[in-house]
Amino acid sequence: MRLLRWIVPLLLIGCCSAGPQNVLLLVADDAGFELGAYLNKFCQTPNLDALAKRGLLFNNAFTSVSSCSPSRTQLLTGQASHSSGMYGLHQGVHNFNVLPETGSLPNLIRDQSGGRILSGIIGKKHVGAASNFRFDFEQTEEQHSINQIGRNITRMKEYARQFLKQAKDEKKPFFLMVGFHDPHRCGHITPQFGEFCERWGSGEDGMGSIPDWKPIYYDWRNLEVPAWLPDTDVVRQELAAQYMTISRLDQGVGLMLKELEAAGAADQTLVIYTSDNGPPFPGGRTNLYEHGIRSPLIINSPKKEDRHHETTAAMVSLLDIYPSVLDALQIPRPNDTTIVGRSILPVLREEPPIKESDSVFGSHSYHEVTMAYPMRMVRNRRYKLIHNVNYWADFPIDQDFYTSPTFQQILNATLNKQTLPWYRSLLQYYQRPEWELYDVKTDPLERINLAEKAKYNGTLKQLRQQLFDWQVATKDPWRCAPHAVLQEQGVFKDQPACLTLGHEALQRSKRRVLGQYEEYVVLT
């Protein structure tokens, strides 16, 4: 029976003579556009730049969630975080897992191919429960320390060699996911290794060494600060450290591609590079602002007829990776309405027509378990609408970002009533309105909220309806929040309804302005 299930979809696709492609998915951790291919003039990334030249560079790729575990889950399930149940971080006290019935790429590949395709993961996994994501070959933080398996590119290379040899010996196509831990922050846990673990394995005294890594040191005094960050020397020093780990990531990518070539699999392998979410700076990770959700995306196809050495303006979501991998492996997509992405592979063959209404969606609920700040988003080529569901609360700050020199500088400047060269204030960052509407074409820094301007009432109404329709289609538990309660059981089972909480009839005092700061101490 499994054999029949495997053969019939191939016949339908019409390419069974060629057989499925292999897929190598390379995922960075908290990386943005720090690549020469994306016009960064300082950070040296020759391997990723070369991959971009050989492949297709996406200028409009977006993650649907700006948090590690939910983002990696979207890659492996094709579902928004509110659909899969991976609402926040998987590890430790956060303890988020997908819902028991949630399927995933490795499990589906094994079941649908009858074991004829080998699945593997090397490096950061950070999703669960384990039974929902069971790869045939696993070398992750579940078996090793996260730095050894996510930043030690020599060790990662050796495991990649083992996996590729196994695939070759067993004559199996494969899906291999490599999760780098660079350039994630580590300063709040192991400050001796630097804010981004840039000293770990560098060969400096007491730091150990990674044989395949040739550290690149950046002079922070010569770096330019991107417009969305505070223009200070502290930020420049952080960028220098971040770029150093981006270069380690880049050299790791180079090693993976060399192993692919040595195994004789390069000309049958679709290579995808992306990042789970934006950098851990203010407005980046944990936000649905542009630098939290815009994603680097490079896809290199082994097919000569596909596009190479080109860029594309196609609007794509990381939710599209799941159906794209299935497409490349010639495995039918499950009949599941919560899987919302579309295969990107047609874009590799032909540029789609540009429509102003092309849209992507965002669904962010938690990062750490203490960060209850659900947000939903729809973004087309011109406008972005963010719904801050918990807008009565101040926007939460995660632990490793809190201890970062950049945030500490912002915090101390605010406490001491000092000016800071940043286009936001800490008060603006904390206190957000329920609806944020931005013209991202003319206002890429998202400084001017258009939600209250009468001129944009039509745009606001249209986007609100589009966002709500998506939430309904993906069964978002938050789709009625915060002003109504979702009822979808009993008499409402066939026709779910949002029932009012009466907020429209209540007088609410204005939010207090932060003025007096109390002194907090840690209780041991």
Side-chain angles (χ1 to χ4, degrees):
M1 189 63 180
R2 284 186 174 176
L3 183 59
L4 271 178
R5 231 175 22 195
W6 172 243
I7 293 175
V8 171
L10 296 187
L11 294 175
L12 291 175
I13 294 172
C15 55
C16 56
S17 59
Q21 298 180 70
N22 307 311
V23 178
L24 173 60
L25 175 59
L26 305 165
V27 183
D29 199 354
D30 292 0
F33 293 87
E34 306 87 0
L35 311 178
Y38 282 110
L39 305 182
N40 186 297
K41 298 182 294 184
F42 301 96
C43 194
Q44 297 182 40
T45 54
N47 296 289
L48 285 165
D49 297 346
L51 181 65
K53 286 183 180 180
R54 294 194 300 271
L56 186 63
L57 183 78
F58 287 75
N59 284 320
N60 287 306
F62 301 85
T63 180
S64 70
V65 56
S66 192
S67 178
C68 180
S69 296
S71 180
R72 289 162 195 271
T73 300
Q74 80 180 327
L75 296 173
L76 293 171
T77 68
Q79 298 185 34
S81 59
H82 63 250
S83 298
S84 70
M86 186 65 78
Y87 304 126
L89 297 180
H90 166 63
Q91 90 288 353
V93 297
H94 314 301
N95 199 40
F96 288 107
N97 289 296
V98 295
L99 298 171
E101 67 275 13
T102 302
S104 70
L105 278 174
N107 290 14
L108 184 67
I109 289 169
R110 182 183 307 104
D111 293 343
Q112 291 295 315
S113 74
R116 290 177 177 82
I117 297 177
L118 187 68
S119 67
I121 183 168
I122 298 167
K124 188 170 182 177
K125 186 180 182 184
H126 213 216
V127 295
S131 60
N132 292 87
F133 301 92
R134 188 164 59 86
F135 290 81
D136 301 321
F137 180 100
E138 294 199 17
Q139 298 293 340
T140 72
E141 74 276 3
E142 295 175 0
Q143 295 86 28
H144 310 269
S145 71
I146 185 60
N147 282 346
Q148 287 292 355
I149 199 61
R151 300 189 201 260
N152 187 336
I153 57 177
T154 296
R155 180 168 289 190
M156 297 173 76
K157 173 194 73 174
E158 291 167 352
Y159 284 125
R161 185 175 298 168
Q162 288 182 25
F163 174 84
L164 294 170
K165 183 179 186 301
Q166 181 179 342
K168 186 175 183 178
D169 291 347
E170 297 177 4
K171 296 182 172 57
K172 290 182 178 181
F174 62 82
F175 165 61
L176 175 60
M177 180 175 177
V178 178
F180 295 92
H181 195 33
D182 285 324
H184 194 283
R185 289 184 183 274
C186 74
H188 73 300
I189 297 175
T190 51
Q192 69 272 24
F193 297 140
E195 184 59 33
F196 289 85
C197 271
E198 69 276 7
R199 299 184 64 204
W200 187 84
S202 63
E204 300 175 34
D205 288 344
M207 294 294 109
S209 64
I210 301 170
D212 288 290
W213 179 34
K214 297 178 176 57
I216 298 174
Y217 292 86
Y218 294 85
D219 187 345
W220 62 268
R221 293 165 296 187
N222 295 327
L223 300 182
E224 291 180 5
V225 176
W228 60 286
L229 295 177
D231 189 2
T232 69
D233 286 347
V234 167
V235 174
R236 286 183 180 83
Q237 290 164 4
E238 288 235 81
L239 290 174
Q242 182 205 28
Y243 289 177
M244 189 171 173
T245 59
I246 287 283
S247 293
R248 180 166 56 199
L249 158 72
D250 177 76
Q251 292 176 36
V253 168
L255 292 176
M256 296 301 149
L257 298 179
K258 285 180 181 178
E259 290 301 318
L260 196 65
E261 190 78 38
D267 59 355
Q268 298 108 31
T269 303
L270 183 78
V271 179
I272 304 171
Y273 167 79
T274 190
S275 177
D276 52 2
N277 45 248
F281 286 100
R285 188 189 67 194
T286 75
N287 288 269
L288 293 183
Y289 295 135
E290 289 291 272
H291 294 280
I293 61 168
R294 287 191 71 110
S295 301
L297 180 61
I298 301 168
I299 302 182
N300 181 33
S301 170
K303 296 182 178 180
K304 292 181 180 179
E305 63 269 25
D306 284 344
R307 300 165 69 188
H308 300 277
H309 202 180
E310 293 186 29
T311 61
T312 175
M315 291 273 287
V316 299
S317 168
L318 295 194
L319 288 166
D320 299 329
I321 297 296
Y322 177 91
S324 301
V325 173
L326 294 181
D327 195 358
L329 295 174
Q330 299 177 2
I331 292 178
R333 173 176 170 155
N335 185 21
D336 186 340
T337 57
T338 59
I339 298 173
V340 293
R342 295 176 297 177
S343 175
I344 302 172
L345 298 197
V347 181
L348 302 182
R349 296 185 279 275
E350 184 180 8
E351 183 74 4
I354 293 178
K355 294 181 291 187
E356 196 84 349
S357 60
D358 292 338
S359 300
V360 294
F361 295 89
S363 173
H364 184 107
S365 300
Y366 291 85
H367 180 64
E368 295 165 359
V369 71
T370 53
M371 297 173 67
Y373 203 87
M375 301 175 286
R376 301 295 183 264
M377 177 209 77
V378 57
R379 186 202 191 278
N380 60 33
R381 292 183 182 273
R382 182 68 185 266
Y383 296 103
K384 177 198 284 184
L385 179 67
I386 299 174
H387 185 198
N388 296 307
V389 178
N390 197 14
Y391 70 101
W392 286 306
D394 288 343
F395 186 79
I397 304 298
D398 63 274
Q399 293 181 47
D400 65 342
F401 176 53
Y402 179 85
T403 62
S404 71
T406 293
F407 182 76
Q408 286 297 307
Q409 184 179 42
I410 294 171
L411 179 63
N412 288 320
T414 304
L415 292 170
N416 295 313
K417 296 184 168 64
Q418 297 170 344
T419 59
L420 191 75
W422 189 34
Y423 70 96
R424 295 183 192 272
S425 68
L426 189 57
L427 180 63
Q428 291 170 331
Y429 192 72
Y430 284 156
Q431 297 189 353
R432 305 180 183 189
E434 180 176 6
W435 297 98
E436 296 181 73
L437 175 64
Y438 299 106
D439 183 338
V440 290
K441 184 174 289 187
T442 63
D443 180 25
L445 290 179
E446 299 162 292
R447 302 180 67 173
I448 304 172
N449 184 9
L450 307 174
E452 299 295 330
K453 297 185 182 296
K455 178 182 176 180
Y456 296 93
N457 284 348
T459 300
L460 177 63
K461 182 178 179 180
Q462 175 191 344
L463 291 176
R464 284 181 64 168
Q465 187 63 52
Q466 188 179 0
L467 178 58
F468 183 73
D469 290 346
W470 181 76
Q471 291 179 268
V472 171
T474 56
K475 298 180 174 59
D476 186 355
W478 278 269
R479 60 186 178 269
C480 297
H483 305 296
V485 170
L486 172 64
Q487 294 287 356
E488 56 180 350
Q489 298 177 351
V491 297
F492 296 98
K493 184 175 181 180
D494 295 328
Q495 291 184 312
C498 294
L499 304 183
T500 183
L501 288 168
H503 290 171
E504 65 275 12
L506 300 176
Q507 294 291 329
R508 286 184 176 271
S509 59
K510 292 184 178 180
R511 300 179 64 170
R512 65 182 179 86
V513 176
L514 297 180
Q516 301 297 319
Y517 292 88
E518 298 176 336
E519 182 178 353
Y520 290 88
V521 295
V522 177
L523 300 179
T524 57

